[in-house]
Amino acid sequence: MNSCTKCGNTHIIIRRKQSGQSLCKECFLASINEKVLKNIRKYKLIEKGDKVLMALSGGKDSVVALNILNSLKERNIIDLTALTIDEGIKGYREEGIKIAAKNAQKLGVDHKIVSFKDYLGLNLDDMMAKNDQIRHACTYCGVFRRWILNREAQEEEATKIATGHNLDDETQSIIMNYLEGNINNLVRIGPKTEAPDKRFTVKIKPLREIPEKEVGLYAVAAGLKVHLSGCPYAGESFRWEIGSFIKELSINHPTIMYSTLKGFEKIKTALKKEITIKGNLGVCKRCGEPAADDLCKACTFLKDWDVK
Ligand code: SF4
Ligand code: ZN
Ligand code: ZN
């Protein structure tokens, strides 16, 4: 009978095809905690005294990341707060907010909820009703979320913004930017954002090397309550297409996401010598945030809709 490679327990919950390892619940949870904390040290994602703002949607990734980062808070290494952004997606976001709040409360982590509506004057559903379907909902959602996250991080005087990006997300970003020829964006992908401007709070991705499936298994094994529904706007985006393609490939090639990430890390070193990341940006004339042009991306969209 198959038993845990680490402790011999016969009740195993995972067989890792890529390494041949079998693990019981306790050893699996410990292996993920160790890997995440090891990466935090390796890439210097967090330093003692950091004030970390966790972008908490209530989904499995951000809830698992919050729980692991909380172990650093409990050891008085960091200060941790959580922020949930309500994009205004009817029938979907409400449940995620409740679950996010419960998780933060359970851990005793300060939690703030802000909305697109309060910040921007309209929610994502309103935007999609106004939009002539020129852009996908995720484009607006991503731009405005990053904009709000950065503003909130500045207001909270956070030194790091943590997001729940996992290995699947990171591999998708690499392939997407490569296929779209966005080489400038490609060189910025990493465990810690190399922000083009000091006025952007550094973003960190503690779960970057953990496959999505294992993040899900961690949530179940640790008994965490997470928001499982999918966003109604998620399907059919380019990211979704790439994600499905990589998942399909992973069936017969279980190490493909790791090798994509590791291969990219090697190319990135060479690419960085060729591509200079722009220095400090200008200031957006409308909102005062850093911007490459007269207006930042968020204000360019808002101006089109004539939102004050
Ligand atoms: Fe926003 Fe797209 Fe994610 Fe939905 S799937 S929450 S629209 S980024
Ligand atoms: Zn074990
Ligand atoms: Zn702006």
Side-chain angles (χ1 to χ4, degrees), residues 147 284-289 295-299:
W147 186 80
C284 170
K285 285 188 175 151
R286 198 168 170 278
C287 72
E289 289 289 297
L295 293 179
C296 70
K297 261 196 191 163
C299 289

PDB file of all heavy atoms in Angstrom, residues 147 284-289 295-299, ligand 3:
ATOM      1  N   TRP A 147      -5.141  49.987  -9.475  1.00  0.00           N
ATOM      2  CA  TRP A 147      -5.148  51.405  -9.135  1.00  0.00           C
ATOM      3  C   TRP A 147      -5.625  51.589  -7.685  1.00  0.00           C
ATOM      4  O   TRP A 147      -5.010  52.289  -6.894  1.00  0.00           O
ATOM      5  CB  TRP A 147      -6.075  52.119 -10.130  1.00  0.00           C
ATOM      6  CG  TRP A 147      -6.134  53.599 -10.081  1.00  0.00           C
ATOM      7  CD1 TRP A 147      -5.228  54.473 -10.622  1.00  0.00           C
ATOM      8  CD2 TRP A 147      -7.168  54.393  -9.488  1.00  0.00           C
ATOM      9  NE1 TRP A 147      -5.648  55.766 -10.412  1.00  0.00           N
ATOM     10  CE2 TRP A 147      -6.833  55.751  -9.711  1.00  0.00           C
ATOM     11  CE3 TRP A 147      -8.345  54.111  -8.796  1.00  0.00           C
ATOM     12  CZ2 TRP A 147      -7.628  56.803  -9.270  1.00  0.00           C
ATOM     13  CZ3 TRP A 147      -9.136  55.160  -8.353  1.00  0.00           C
ATOM     14  CH2 TRP A 147      -8.772  56.494  -8.595  1.00  0.00           C
ATOM     15  N   CYS A 284      -0.249  61.510 -13.282  1.00  0.00           N
ATOM     16  CA  CYS A 284      -1.523  61.570 -14.004  1.00  0.00           C
ATOM     17  C   CYS A 284      -2.185  62.908 -13.690  1.00  0.00           C
ATOM     18  O   CYS A 284      -2.331  63.274 -12.521  1.00  0.00           O
ATOM     19  CB  CYS A 284      -2.418  60.408 -13.572  1.00  0.00           C
ATOM     20  SG  CYS A 284      -4.110  60.551 -14.185  1.00  0.00           S
ATOM     21  N   LYS A 285      -2.604  63.632 -14.747  1.00  0.00           N
ATOM     22  CA  LYS A 285      -3.191  64.966 -14.550  1.00  0.00           C
ATOM     23  C   LYS A 285      -4.531  64.910 -13.849  1.00  0.00           C
ATOM     24  O   LYS A 285      -5.015  65.896 -13.332  1.00  0.00           O
ATOM     25  CB  LYS A 285      -3.385  65.640 -15.917  1.00  0.00           C
ATOM     26  CG  LYS A 285      -2.074  66.125 -16.509  1.00  0.00           C
ATOM     27  CD  LYS A 285      -2.322  66.946 -17.737  1.00  0.00           C
ATOM     28  CE  LYS A 285      -1.008  67.524 -18.237  1.00  0.00           C
ATOM     29  NZ  LYS A 285      -1.042  67.729 -19.681  1.00  0.00           N
ATOM     30  N   ARG A 286      -5.157  63.760 -13.874  1.00  0.00           N
ATOM     31  CA  ARG A 286      -6.500  63.652 -13.322  1.00  0.00           C
ATOM     32  C   ARG A 286      -6.488  63.188 -11.860  1.00  0.00           C
ATOM     33  O   ARG A 286      -7.178  63.733 -11.025  1.00  0.00           O
ATOM     34  CB  ARG A 286      -7.287  62.667 -14.169  1.00  0.00           C
ATOM     35  CG  ARG A 286      -8.762  62.742 -14.035  1.00  0.00           C
ATOM     36  CD  ARG A 286      -9.395  61.923 -15.141  1.00  0.00           C
ATOM     37  NE  ARG A 286     -10.818  61.791 -14.908  1.00  0.00           N
ATOM     38  CZ  ARG A 286     -11.345  60.907 -14.096  1.00  0.00           C
ATOM     39  NH1 ARG A 286     -10.565  60.081 -13.448  1.00  0.00           N
ATOM     40  NH2 ARG A 286     -12.644  60.847 -13.923  1.00  0.00           N
ATOM     41  N   CYS A 287      -5.642  62.154 -11.566  1.00  0.00           N
ATOM     42  CA  CYS A 287      -5.708  61.565 -10.218  1.00  0.00           C
ATOM     43  C   CYS A 287      -4.414  61.686  -9.419  1.00  0.00           C
ATOM     44  O   CYS A 287      -4.397  61.372  -8.240  1.00  0.00           O
ATOM     45  CB  CYS A 287      -6.113  60.094 -10.302  1.00  0.00           C
ATOM     46  SG  CYS A 287      -4.806  59.021 -10.949  1.00  0.00           S
ATOM     47  N   GLY A 288      -3.345  62.122 -10.079  1.00  0.00           N
ATOM     48  CA  GLY A 288      -2.088  62.307  -9.353  1.00  0.00           C
ATOM     49  C   GLY A 288      -1.270  61.051  -9.144  1.00  0.00           C
ATOM     50  O   GLY A 288      -0.213  61.071  -8.514  1.00  0.00           O
ATOM     51  N   GLU A 289      -1.761  59.918  -9.654  1.00  0.00           N
ATOM     52  CA  GLU A 289      -0.994  58.664  -9.536  1.00  0.00           C
ATOM     53  C   GLU A 289       0.090  58.627 -10.620  1.00  0.00           C
ATOM     54  O   GLU A 289      -0.009  59.349 -11.626  1.00  0.00           O
ATOM     55  CB  GLU A 289      -1.940  57.472  -9.734  1.00  0.00           C
ATOM     56  CG  GLU A 289      -2.914  57.240  -8.582  1.00  0.00           C
ATOM     57  CD  GLU A 289      -2.247  56.712  -7.327  1.00  0.00           C
ATOM     58  OE1 GLU A 289      -1.700  55.609  -7.348  1.00  0.00           O
ATOM     59  OE2 GLU A 289      -2.265  57.435  -6.313  1.00  0.00           O
ATOM     60  N   LEU A 295      -2.418  60.872 -18.756  1.00  0.00           N
ATOM     61  CA  LEU A 295      -3.382  60.222 -17.866  1.00  0.00           C
ATOM     62  C   LEU A 295      -2.934  58.790 -17.591  1.00  0.00           C
ATOM     63  O   LEU A 295      -2.351  58.149 -18.478  1.00  0.00           O
ATOM     64  CB  LEU A 295      -4.761  60.163 -18.523  1.00  0.00           C
ATOM     65  CG  LEU A 295      -5.500  61.481 -18.761  1.00  0.00           C
ATOM     66  CD1 LEU A 295      -6.841  61.213 -19.448  1.00  0.00           C
ATOM     67  CD2 LEU A 295      -5.741  62.238 -17.467  1.00  0.00           C
ATOM     68  N   CYS A 296      -3.231  58.288 -16.377  1.00  0.00           N
ATOM     69  CA  CYS A 296      -2.935  56.880 -16.092  1.00  0.00           C
ATOM     70  C   CYS A 296      -3.996  56.034 -16.814  1.00  0.00           C
ATOM     71  O   CYS A 296      -4.986  56.578 -17.314  1.00  0.00           O
ATOM     72  CB  CYS A 296      -2.941  56.622 -14.586  1.00  0.00           C
ATOM     73  SG  CYS A 296      -4.576  56.710 -13.841  1.00  0.00           S
ATOM     74  N   LYS A 297      -3.794  54.732 -16.844  1.00  0.00           N
ATOM     75  CA  LYS A 297      -4.730  53.859 -17.579  1.00  0.00           C
ATOM     76  C   LYS A 297      -6.146  53.966 -17.011  1.00  0.00           C
ATOM     77  O   LYS A 297      -7.129  54.022 -17.749  1.00  0.00           O
ATOM     78  CB  LYS A 297      -4.258  52.407 -17.466  1.00  0.00           C
ATOM     79  CG  LYS A 297      -3.497  51.964 -18.678  1.00  0.00           C
ATOM     80  CD  LYS A 297      -3.431  50.447 -18.663  1.00  0.00           C
ATOM     81  CE  LYS A 297      -2.466  49.958 -19.701  1.00  0.00           C
ATOM     82  NZ  LYS A 297      -2.058  48.579 -19.477  1.00  0.00           N
ATOM     83  N   ALA A 298      -6.246  53.983 -15.665  1.00  0.00           N
ATOM     84  CA  ALA A 298      -7.567  54.027 -15.032  1.00  0.00           C
ATOM     85  C   ALA A 298      -8.303  55.292 -15.461  1.00  0.00           C
ATOM     86  O   ALA A 298      -9.473  55.246 -15.850  1.00  0.00           O
ATOM     87  CB  ALA A 298      -7.407  53.981 -13.512  1.00  0.00           C
ATOM     88  N   CYS A 299      -7.617  56.434 -15.438  1.00  0.00           N
ATOM     89  CA  CYS A 299      -8.276  57.699 -15.792  1.00  0.00           C
ATOM     90  C   CYS A 299      -8.597  57.769 -17.279  1.00  0.00           C
ATOM     91  O   CYS A 299      -9.553  58.432 -17.673  1.00  0.00           O
ATOM     92  CB  CYS A 299      -7.418  58.881 -15.356  1.00  0.00           C
ATOM     93  SG  CYS A 299      -7.413  59.052 -13.562  1.00  0.00           S
TER      94      CYS A 299
HETATM   95 ZN    ZN B   3      -5.140  58.825 -13.122  1.00  0.00          ZN
END
